[in-house]
Amino acid sequence: MNVSPARRAAFEVVRRVFEDDAYADRVLRSASEGLDARERGFARQLAYGTVQRVRTLDHAIGTLGRRPTRKLDPPVLAALRLGAYQLGYLEVAPHAAANESVELVRAARLERAVPFTNAVMRRLAGGMRALLAELPEGPLKHSYPDWIYDVWARDFGEDDALALMRVQNEPTETVVRLVRGEIDGEPTDVPGAFRVARVDEQALAAGRVWPQSRGSQLAALSVASRDGDRILDSCAAPGGKATMLHGDVVAVEINEARARELDENARRLGATNVRVVHADATDLPPQLDGFDRALVDAPCSGLGVLASRPDLRWRATPLPELQRELLRAAAERVRPGGTLVYSVCTLNAEETEHVVDASGLEIDPTLGDEWPQFRHPRRPEFLLTLPHLHGTSGFFIARLRR
């Protein structure tokens, strides 16, 4: 029996993510090349779901398969993970999931492991749903590292922590920013952000729309930039926020390839006011000085965007030291009386309000009044979009005065 192209592509993604520490979206792009839209969609669902749920899947495989997953050959483990995901979370015929997992092992030239794979898949088919139903609420059931659950329980309470875990295992809304022209979409509570059934690839290629969550667009709008302002965007790639800003924008990016991509995106979107500078935002060239405003959309653990990046939960790292340094470096280049917006796509007090509090900068309390629906639940002077409450990615936003 031949393995379906979608399962073969998903198998490659799962192997590369966990064996080579590759990024799921990049592997999927190459692995699904040549597939039709339906197969590509199924490959994405299979690959992303399996990567997301891997902690729970491994628990089921180890429990029902009666052999620790660490002792399995990597191709066998990847095939079992894919099969277990289909049995536990998709409406797929059990025999199809089992047969194709066996064939993936056979295609990997591990004939000796075929009987074992077959036996484990039969046990999973008989016991997977019951095992999942009996798991207690928590990070094992929802497949997160313990530390992420602990951070959310500490910052938001146990009920919200569980709600955040649940919602970030589900697909996110598809939102684009309308750059110019018209759009077939639903307006949202963020001006210029439209909810769409799918991204129009032609409109994207022509620079008429840009895929960007409401939380991300909110960060750029919070800068409140105006024509005539000189603005520093210190961590600018891929350019979604930089190209929303008015005035003369200097968009800094440390990675050379991403700086080129940023430049291309700015040109495609018609943002002629954006000048790209390839530099380290913690050590800016001396001539970059005297800005009216700055946006520091800092690298972070990404705990607000786990739904759209399935492998991120397994590699996420809090970066408070870097964030403090980036904010300090940007503040030095803003004129007295100027403003800075600090934003991160994470939900972790150590990377959000603690970084702002440590900066010594004056907090602008009017931001929460401008966007009352997104006020931070504990600190109303800040904004915090929460996936389980607002239906968008999680963003923390603070506006500060120099």
Side-chain angles (χ1 to χ4, degrees), residues 302-323:
L303 303 190
V305 293
L306 299 180
S308 57
R309 295 182 55 190
D311 48 327
L312 181 57
R313 67 188 66 189
W314 310 121
R315 64 170 96 240
T317 307
L319 300 168
E321 295 85 3
L322 174 60
Q323 292 151 358

Side-chain angles (χ1 to χ4, degrees), residues 189-262:
D189 54 359
V190 174
F194 288 81
R195 202 172 285 112
V196 294
R198 66 189 60 82
V199 177
D200 181 336
E201 294 297 331
Q202 285 185 319
L204 176 61
R208 298 196 304 272
V209 299
W210 184 257
Q212 191 173 0
S213 74
R214 288 184 292 132
S216 172
Q217 294 189 49
L218 186 64
L221 291 171
S222 297
V223 177
S225 58
R226 299 171 301 215
D227 292 340
D229 285 343
R230 290 189 66 240
I231 301 176
L232 171 68
D233 183 348
S234 65
C235 306
K241 299 179 191 69
T243 54
M244 289 180 68
L245 302 174
H246 298 276
D248 295 320
V249 180
V250 173
V252 174
E253 173 55 42
I254 190 171
N255 180 286
E256 192 171 358
R258 281 169 59 81
R260 281 197 302 271
E261 179 193 7
L262 167 59

